[in-house]
Amino acid sequence: MSKAKQKKEEKPVKIEKVAEDTGELIGKGIRKTWNVAKSFGKGLVDAVDKREEPKAALPLACQHCGASLPPKSKFCPCCGKKQ
Ligand SMILES: [Zn+2]
């Protein structure tokens, strides 16, 4: 009899602990997700930075008429052709 009563009293404590553990897990999960999102964002920024490097390294002379081009120009200011 007293055993059943003891079990009944333990239950709310257990639920509280489960809620605490769950909250902790969710908190940890959010932190982990945030870290993943942060590193993913950093990777994207790095990829964009790396992708822009070859653009700046474009030849500074027109492929069609040989005129000198301003950096990062897509069209020749002399003949107007796409580079
Ligand atoms: Zn040209």
PDB file of all heavy atoms in Angstrom, residues 21-43:
ATOM      1  N   ASP A  21      15.031  17.722 -18.597  1.00  0.00           N
ATOM      2  CA  ASP A  21      15.962  17.092 -19.535  1.00  0.00           C
ATOM      3  C   ASP A  21      15.592  17.457 -20.969  1.00  0.00           C
ATOM      4  O   ASP A  21      16.455  17.746 -21.793  1.00  0.00           O
ATOM      5  CB  ASP A  21      15.931  15.565 -19.358  1.00  0.00           C
ATOM      6  CG  ASP A  21      16.629  15.148 -18.062  1.00  0.00           C
ATOM      7  OD1 ASP A  21      17.261  16.016 -17.432  1.00  0.00           O
ATOM      8  OD2 ASP A  21      16.520  13.972 -17.693  1.00  0.00           O
ATOM      9  N   THR A  22      14.267  17.434 -21.237  1.00  0.00           N
ATOM     10  CA  THR A  22      13.825  17.752 -22.597  1.00  0.00           C
ATOM     11  C   THR A  22      14.183  19.193 -22.942  1.00  0.00           C
ATOM     12  O   THR A  22      14.676  19.477 -24.030  1.00  0.00           O
ATOM     13  CB  THR A  22      12.304  17.535 -22.716  1.00  0.00           C
ATOM     14  OG1 THR A  22      11.993  16.220 -22.266  1.00  0.00           O
ATOM     15  CG2 THR A  22      11.827  17.706 -24.142  1.00  0.00           C
ATOM     16  N   GLY A  23      13.936  20.084 -21.971  1.00  0.00           N
ATOM     17  CA  GLY A  23      14.277  21.487 -22.208  1.00  0.00           C
ATOM     18  C   GLY A  23      15.762  21.644 -22.463  1.00  0.00           C
ATOM     19  O   GLY A  23      16.173  22.378 -23.357  1.00  0.00           O
ATOM     20  N   GLU A  24      16.552  20.900 -21.683  1.00  0.00           N
ATOM     21  CA  GLU A  24      18.004  20.989 -21.850  1.00  0.00           C
ATOM     22  C   GLU A  24      18.409  20.475 -23.235  1.00  0.00           C
ATOM     23  O   GLU A  24      19.235  21.067 -23.912  1.00  0.00           O
ATOM     24  CB  GLU A  24      18.681  20.145 -20.767  1.00  0.00           C
ATOM     25  CG  GLU A  24      20.066  20.656 -20.408  1.00  0.00           C
ATOM     26  CD  GLU A  24      20.686  19.817 -19.307  1.00  0.00           C
ATOM     27  OE1 GLU A  24      20.070  19.714 -18.238  1.00  0.00           O
ATOM     28  OE2 GLU A  24      21.763  19.259 -19.545  1.00  0.00           O
ATOM     29  N   LEU A  25      17.750  19.356 -23.615  1.00  0.00           N
ATOM     30  CA  LEU A  25      18.062  18.761 -24.920  1.00  0.00           C
ATOM     31  C   LEU A  25      17.698  19.726 -26.039  1.00  0.00           C
ATOM     32  O   LEU A  25      18.462  19.921 -26.982  1.00  0.00           O
ATOM     33  CB  LEU A  25      17.274  17.452 -25.090  1.00  0.00           C
ATOM     34  CG  LEU A  25      18.029  16.196 -24.660  1.00  0.00           C
ATOM     35  CD1 LEU A  25      17.095  15.015 -24.667  1.00  0.00           C
ATOM     36  CD2 LEU A  25      19.202  15.932 -25.593  1.00  0.00           C
ATOM     37  N   ILE A  26      16.505  20.353 -25.892  1.00  0.00           N
ATOM     38  CA  ILE A  26      16.060  21.296 -26.930  1.00  0.00           C
ATOM     39  C   ILE A  26      17.040  22.467 -26.997  1.00  0.00           C
ATOM     40  O   ILE A  26      17.439  22.908 -28.072  1.00  0.00           O
ATOM     41  CB  ILE A  26      14.612  21.764 -26.648  1.00  0.00           C
ATOM     42  CG1 ILE A  26      13.637  20.604 -26.896  1.00  0.00           C
ATOM     43  CG2 ILE A  26      14.247  22.974 -27.498  1.00  0.00           C
ATOM     44  CD1 ILE A  26      12.233  20.853 -26.372  1.00  0.00           C
ATOM     45  N   GLY A  27      17.433  22.922 -25.795  1.00  0.00           N
ATOM     46  CA  GLY A  27      18.393  24.025 -25.752  1.00  0.00           C
ATOM     47  C   GLY A  27      19.687  23.642 -26.433  1.00  0.00           C
ATOM     48  O   GLY A  27      20.238  24.395 -27.233  1.00  0.00           O
ATOM     49  N   LYS A  28      20.150  22.426 -26.141  1.00  0.00           N
ATOM     50  CA  LYS A  28      21.398  21.960 -26.758  1.00  0.00           C
ATOM     51  C   LYS A  28      21.227  21.832 -28.264  1.00  0.00           C
ATOM     52  O   LYS A  28      22.121  22.183 -29.030  1.00  0.00           O
ATOM     53  CB  LYS A  28      21.780  20.590 -26.172  1.00  0.00           C
ATOM     54  CG  LYS A  28      22.628  20.723 -24.916  1.00  0.00           C
ATOM     55  CD  LYS A  28      23.008  19.352 -24.387  1.00  0.00           C
ATOM     56  CE  LYS A  28      23.623  19.428 -23.012  1.00  0.00           C
ATOM     57  NZ  LYS A  28      23.759  18.096 -22.406  1.00  0.00           N
ATOM     58  N   GLY A  29      20.025  21.309 -28.647  1.00  0.00           N
ATOM     59  CA  GLY A  29      19.754  21.128 -30.080  1.00  0.00           C
ATOM     60  C   GLY A  29      19.750  22.455 -30.795  1.00  0.00           C
ATOM     61  O   GLY A  29      20.303  22.583 -31.882  1.00  0.00           O
ATOM     62  N   ILE A  30      19.129  23.469 -30.176  1.00  0.00           N
ATOM     63  CA  ILE A  30      19.066  24.785 -30.825  1.00  0.00           C
ATOM     64  C   ILE A  30      20.474  25.349 -30.958  1.00  0.00           C
ATOM     65  O   ILE A  30      20.847  25.884 -31.996  1.00  0.00           O
ATOM     66  CB  ILE A  30      18.151  25.725 -30.005  1.00  0.00           C
ATOM     67  CG1 ILE A  30      16.684  25.331 -30.224  1.00  0.00           C
ATOM     68  CG2 ILE A  30      18.365  27.181 -30.407  1.00  0.00           C
ATOM     69  CD1 ILE A  30      15.723  25.982 -29.260  1.00  0.00           C
ATOM     70  N   ARG A  31      21.264  25.168 -29.879  1.00  0.00           N
ATOM     71  CA  ARG A  31      22.632  25.680 -29.933  1.00  0.00           C
ATOM     72  C   ARG A  31      23.420  24.977 -31.039  1.00  0.00           C
ATOM     73  O   ARG A  31      24.168  25.592 -31.779  1.00  0.00           O
ATOM     74  CB  ARG A  31      23.310  25.471 -28.574  1.00  0.00           C
ATOM     75  CG  ARG A  31      23.542  26.800 -27.870  1.00  0.00           C
ATOM     76  CD  ARG A  31      24.068  26.580 -26.470  1.00  0.00           C
ATOM     77  NE  ARG A  31      22.997  26.240 -25.564  1.00  0.00           N
ATOM     78  CZ  ARG A  31      23.176  25.504 -24.465  1.00  0.00           C
ATOM     79  NH1 ARG A  31      24.354  25.022 -24.162  1.00  0.00           N
ATOM     80  NH2 ARG A  31      22.168  25.246 -23.680  1.00  0.00           N
ATOM     81  N   LYS A  32      23.205  23.636 -31.123  1.00  0.00           N
ATOM     82  CA  LYS A  32      23.926  22.858 -32.136  1.00  0.00           C
ATOM     83  C   LYS A  32      23.482  23.286 -33.531  1.00  0.00           C
ATOM     84  O   LYS A  32      24.299  23.479 -34.420  1.00  0.00           O
ATOM     85  CB  LYS A  32      23.619  21.364 -31.921  1.00  0.00           C
ATOM     86  CG  LYS A  32      24.730  20.483 -32.431  1.00  0.00           C
ATOM     87  CD  LYS A  32      24.413  19.029 -32.152  1.00  0.00           C
ATOM     88  CE  LYS A  32      25.389  18.122 -32.863  1.00  0.00           C
ATOM     89  NZ  LYS A  32      25.037  16.717 -32.711  1.00  0.00           N
ATOM     90  N   THR A  33      22.135  23.454 -33.685  1.00  0.00           N
ATOM     91  CA  THR A  33      21.606  23.872 -34.988  1.00  0.00           C
ATOM     92  C   THR A  33      22.152  25.247 -35.352  1.00  0.00           C
ATOM     93  O   THR A  33      22.510  25.504 -36.498  1.00  0.00           O
ATOM     94  CB  THR A  33      20.072  23.898 -34.929  1.00  0.00           C
ATOM     95  OG1 THR A  33      19.621  22.633 -34.452  1.00  0.00           O
ATOM     96  CG2 THR A  33      19.462  24.173 -36.286  1.00  0.00           C
ATOM     97  N   TRP A  34      22.218  26.131 -34.359  1.00  0.00           N
ATOM     98  CA  TRP A  34      22.717  27.487 -34.602  1.00  0.00           C
ATOM     99  C   TRP A  34      24.172  27.433 -35.054  1.00  0.00           C
ATOM    100  O   TRP A  34      24.568  28.133 -35.980  1.00  0.00           O
ATOM    101  CB  TRP A  34      22.541  28.313 -33.330  1.00  0.00           C
ATOM    102  CG  TRP A  34      23.205  29.660 -33.413  1.00  0.00           C
ATOM    103  CD1 TRP A  34      24.204  30.135 -32.635  1.00  0.00           C
ATOM    104  CD2 TRP A  34      22.901  30.720 -34.356  1.00  0.00           C
ATOM    105  NE1 TRP A  34      24.555  31.405 -33.029  1.00  0.00           N
ATOM    106  CE2 TRP A  34      23.775  31.783 -34.077  1.00  0.00           C
ATOM    107  CE3 TRP A  34      22.004  30.842 -35.399  1.00  0.00           C
ATOM    108  CZ2 TRP A  34      23.755  32.966 -34.802  1.00  0.00           C
ATOM    109  CZ3 TRP A  34      21.990  32.027 -36.132  1.00  0.00           C
ATOM    110  CH2 TRP A  34      22.854  33.067 -35.822  1.00  0.00           C
ATOM    111  N   ASN A  35      24.942  26.560 -34.382  1.00  0.00           N
ATOM    112  CA  ASN A  35      26.353  26.430 -34.760  1.00  0.00           C
ATOM    113  C   ASN A  35      26.475  25.909 -36.188  1.00  0.00           C
ATOM    114  O   ASN A  35      27.313  26.376 -36.953  1.00  0.00           O
ATOM    115  CB  ASN A  35      27.077  25.484 -33.790  1.00  0.00           C
ATOM    116  CG  ASN A  35      27.426  26.194 -32.488  1.00  0.00           C
ATOM    117  OD1 ASN A  35      27.555  27.411 -32.461  1.00  0.00           O
ATOM    118  ND2 ASN A  35      27.580  25.451 -31.419  1.00  0.00           N
ATOM    119  N   VAL A  36      25.597  24.925 -36.535  1.00  0.00           N
ATOM    120  CA  VAL A  36      25.627  24.366 -37.891  1.00  0.00           C
ATOM    121  C   VAL A  36      25.243  25.452 -38.891  1.00  0.00           C
ATOM    122  O   VAL A  36      25.897  25.626 -39.916  1.00  0.00           O
ATOM    123  CB  VAL A  36      24.669  23.152 -37.984  1.00  0.00           C
ATOM    124  CG1 VAL A  36      24.454  22.763 -39.428  1.00  0.00           C
ATOM    125  CG2 VAL A  36      25.222  21.982 -37.186  1.00  0.00           C
ATOM    126  N   ALA A  37      24.189  26.224 -38.546  1.00  0.00           N
ATOM    127  CA  ALA A  37      23.748  27.295 -39.438  1.00  0.00           C
ATOM    128  C   ALA A  37      24.841  28.334 -39.596  1.00  0.00           C
ATOM    129  O   ALA A  37      25.070  28.850 -40.681  1.00  0.00           O
ATOM    130  CB  ALA A  37      22.480  27.942 -38.885  1.00  0.00           C
ATOM    131  N   LYS A  38      25.528  28.619 -38.476  1.00  0.00           N
ATOM    132  CA  LYS A  38      26.588  29.611 -38.507  1.00  0.00           C
ATOM    133  C   LYS A  38      27.730  29.143 -39.411  1.00  0.00           C
ATOM    134  O   LYS A  38      28.217  29.900 -40.249  1.00  0.00           O
ATOM    135  CB  LYS A  38      27.111  29.858 -37.080  1.00  0.00           C
ATOM    136  CG  LYS A  38      26.904  31.285 -36.660  1.00  0.00           C
ATOM    137  CD  LYS A  38      27.100  31.571 -35.193  1.00  0.00           C
ATOM    138  CE  LYS A  38      28.309  31.033 -34.525  1.00  0.00           C
ATOM    139  NZ  LYS A  38      28.452  31.474 -33.141  1.00  0.00           N
ATOM    140  N   SER A  39      28.129  27.864 -39.236  1.00  0.00           N
ATOM    141  CA  SER A  39      29.233  27.354 -40.055  1.00  0.00           C
ATOM    142  C   SER A  39      28.793  27.234 -41.511  1.00  0.00           C
ATOM    143  O   SER A  39      29.582  27.455 -42.426  1.00  0.00           O
ATOM    144  CB  SER A  39      29.721  26.007 -39.522  1.00  0.00           C
ATOM    145  OG  SER A  39      28.679  25.080 -39.465  1.00  0.00           O
ATOM    146  N   PHE A  40      27.500  26.923 -41.717  1.00  0.00           N
ATOM    147  CA  PHE A  40      26.988  26.830 -43.093  1.00  0.00           C
ATOM    148  C   PHE A  40      27.026  28.212 -43.741  1.00  0.00           C
ATOM    149  O   PHE A  40      27.439  28.359 -44.888  1.00  0.00           O
ATOM    150  CB  PHE A  40      25.555  26.283 -43.058  1.00  0.00           C
ATOM    151  CG  PHE A  40      24.939  26.114 -44.420  1.00  0.00           C
ATOM    152  CD1 PHE A  40      25.406  25.145 -45.296  1.00  0.00           C
ATOM    153  CD2 PHE A  40      23.900  26.929 -44.828  1.00  0.00           C
ATOM    154  CE1 PHE A  40      24.839  24.987 -46.550  1.00  0.00           C
ATOM    155  CE2 PHE A  40      23.333  26.785 -46.074  1.00  0.00           C
ATOM    156  CZ  PHE A  40      23.810  25.809 -46.933  1.00  0.00           C
ATOM    157  N   GLY A  41      26.605  29.226 -42.966  1.00  0.00           N
ATOM    158  CA  GLY A  41      26.637  30.593 -43.484  1.00  0.00           C
ATOM    159  C   GLY A  41      28.058  31.021 -43.793  1.00  0.00           C
ATOM    160  O   GLY A  41      28.322  31.634 -44.822  1.00  0.00           O
ATOM    161  N   LYS A  42      28.987  30.643 -42.918  1.00  0.00           N
ATOM    162  CA  LYS A  42      30.396  30.999 -43.127  1.00  0.00           C
ATOM    163  C   LYS A  42      30.915  30.318 -44.389  1.00  0.00           C
ATOM    164  O   LYS A  42      31.640  30.914 -45.159  1.00  0.00           O
ATOM    165  CB  LYS A  42      31.216  30.579 -41.904  1.00  0.00           C
ATOM    166  CG  LYS A  42      32.512  31.351 -41.806  1.00  0.00           C
ATOM    167  CD  LYS A  42      33.385  30.792 -40.703  1.00  0.00           C
ATOM    168  CE  LYS A  42      34.765  31.418 -40.713  1.00  0.00           C
ATOM    169  NZ  LYS A  42      35.501  31.143 -41.937  1.00  0.00           N
ATOM    170  N   GLY A  43      30.484  29.052 -44.585  1.00  0.00           N
ATOM    171  CA  GLY A  43      30.900  28.321 -45.777  1.00  0.00           C
ATOM    172  C   GLY A  43      30.374  28.996 -47.032  1.00  0.00           C
ATOM    173  O   GLY A  43      31.075  29.082 -48.038  1.00  0.00           O
TER     174      GLY A  43
END
